[in-house]
Amino acid sequence: TVLMADGFSIRVYPNDHGPPHVHAWKAGGWVALTIPTEREALTVLRAAGMNESDVRRAVRLVEENAPALWVAWRHYHGEETR
């Protein structure tokens, strides 16, 4: 877990795959989201058990915290990019 906010647990898994992304968990549901860059917008990769309102809030959290999430991704995965 690299960020906790608004009931969300935002996670980067050490042995995960590209593209660089996070998993946002809340109340048993989750959504996988790419980490946005200046050139590429965030993409929802997949979701399960999460309502649209929570998906939108997770998107905002990831967008607002993208620099810190890139630090976390690189900590586990090096400089791997899309």
Side-chain angles (χ1 to χ4, degrees):
T1 299
V2 295
L3 174 68
M4 293 188 72
D6 298 336
F8 287 89
S9 172
I10 310 294
R11 304 172 186 175
V12 172
Y13 296 124
N15 51 348
D16 213 342
H17 54 82
H21 66 285
V22 296
H23 301 261
W25 287 83
K26 183 176 181 184
W30 60 272
V31 59
L33 308 156
T34 60
I35 305 170
T37 67
E38 291 179 5
R39 290 174 281 165
E40 293 188 50
L42 177 150
T43 300
V44 175
L45 298 173
R46 45 190 180 276
M50 187 176 284
N51 64 45
E52 282 296 316
S53 175
D54 283 340
V55 169
R56 284 191 301 273
R57 182 63 188 135
V59 165
R60 282 193 301 274
L61 279 171
V62 171
E63 288 174 339
E64 292 167 359
N65 293 281
L69 298 174
W70 272 108
V71 169
W73 177 269
R74 288 182 177 121
H75 172 76
Y76 294 110
H77 301 281
E79 292 296 318
E80 179 181 339
T81 60
R82 292 174 203 268

